[in-house]
Amino acid sequence: ELKVEQNPLFLSMQEGKNYTIYCNYSTTSDRLYWYRQDPGKSLESLFVLLSNGAVKQEGRLMASLDTKARLSTLHITAAVHDLSATYFCAESNYQLIWGAGTKLIIKP
Amino acid sequence: GAVVSQHPSRVICKSGTSVKIECRSLDFQATTMFWYRQFPKQSLMLMATSNEGSKATYEQGVEKDKFLINHASLTLSTLTVTSAHPEDSSFYICSARDSARGPRNQPQHFGDGTRLSIL
């Protein structure tokens, strides 16, 4: 069964702290996506990771992909309140197989 | 960047009404579009894959007679919720692939979603 597992599902943290969201997937796909969703809104693409060892950074967010471990991580550095949202990872096998999402709350 | 326009953004209507949602790719062609449903605090659930010029492929458990999909052109797919009932209330999101890119490197671009409320 194709499966994507994200953890944690809920994360509350203080501004200025670092944390990592983990995404494990079950297939041999080498394409992994990270999306952000604000309440009541659609999805915003953050990163597309296309190969083993890929690392991408945008501002305080950095995503990486280890295809051998079937693991992707989204690392948040020195979190700020504006990063509060739900983050989804999805792996691609023609269709997107979605993780359950991580609701991130960053307190001032 | 690539834009997908979805409308309406919000629909409130009475039970028994049929509701049509449009999904347009504005600056690219999309041979494939996807329709998702999202319940509160849950992930996206793929309902169907819409293929231009052919029948949609529905996921298991999704009633094709209830959720009619038409993908008549390379830039437009529609989802019609027929005879909607309160349990059909949800957030519906479409996405589209850019056909100009190869199949191994096609990103999905998402519409803004449609919040459907059936009274």
Side-chain angles (χ1 to χ4, degrees):
Chain A
E1 180 193 351
L2 301 176
K3 208 172 178 183
V4 174
E5 291 186 343
Q6 262 181 262
N7 73 84
L9 299 182
F10 179 81
L11 178 57
S12 178
M13 56 195 287
Q14 295 293 131
E15 276 193 330
K17 299 289 187 183
N18 304 332
Y19 210 82
T20 301
I21 300 170
Y22 297 89
C23 177
N24 289 89
Y25 57 97
S26 62
T27 75
T28 56
S29 171
D30 59 358
R31 186 162 286 98
L32 198 292
Y33 300 83
W34 284 95
Y35 291 91
R36 168 180 173 150
Q37 187 177 35
D38 290 299
K41 303 289 185 182
S42 189
L43 287 97
E44 173 192 352
S45 178
L46 295 175
F47 300 108
V48 180
L49 302 168
L50 298 176
S51 61
N52 187 40
V55 177
K56 290 194 174 179
Q57 183 162 6
E58 181 74 34
R60 299 174 188 274
L61 300 178
M62 183 174 72
S64 65
L65 179 63
D66 180 345
T67 57
K68 293 180 181 176
R70 297 183 186 175
L71 170 68
S72 180
T73 61
L74 180 67
H75 187 74
I76 303 141
T77 302
V80 293
H81 179 66
D82 287 350
L83 291 178
S84 298
T86 298
Y87 293 85
F88 291 95
C89 65
E91 63 112 352
S92 177
N93 220 326
Y94 182 69
Q95 295 171 354
L96 288 177
I97 311 298
W98 294 87
T102 297
K103 183 169 183 177
L104 177 62
I105 295 176
I106 300 169
K107 300 175 183 176
Chain B
V3 175
V4 172
S5 173
Q6 184 177 343
H7 84 94
S9 58
R10 185 171 184 102
V11 179
I12 301 173
C13 57
K14 292 182 179 179
S15 186
T17 307
S18 291
V19 178
K20 181 187 279 189
I21 303 169
E22 291 189 350
C23 182
R24 292 180 187 272
S25 55
L26 295 186
D27 54 359
F28 65 96
Q29 292 185 330
T31 54
T32 305
M33 292 186 176
F34 300 89
W35 287 97
Y36 295 90
R37 183 173 181 176
Q38 187 180 32
F39 291 105
K41 300 182 181 180
Q42 294 189 22
S43 188
L44 280 75
M45 181 191 82
L46 179 65
M47 298 175 66
T49 302
S50 171
N51 303 297
E52 187 267 334
S54 65
K55 289 182 181 179
T57 305
Y58 290 82
E59 295 300 302
Q60 194 171 8
V62 178
E63 298 176 58
K64 60 181 180 182
D65 295 329
K66 172 77 171 175
F67 299 99
L68 299 178
I69 291 172
N70 185 286
H71 193 156
S73 78
L74 286 170
T75 59
L76 174 64
S77 175
T78 61
L79 168 68
T80 301
V81 183
T82 61
S83 186
H85 291 287
E87 59 265 29
D88 298 323
S89 299
S90 191
F91 190 51
Y92 293 86
I93 309 174
C94 72
S95 70
R97 287 183 183 278
D98 187 338
S99 303
R101 297 192 173 198
R104 290 283 294 165
N105 198 23
Q106 287 190 3
Q108 284 194 26
H109 306 286
F110 286 84
D112 287 339
T114 297
R115 189 159 303 282
L116 176 62
S117 300
I118 308 297
L119 306 178

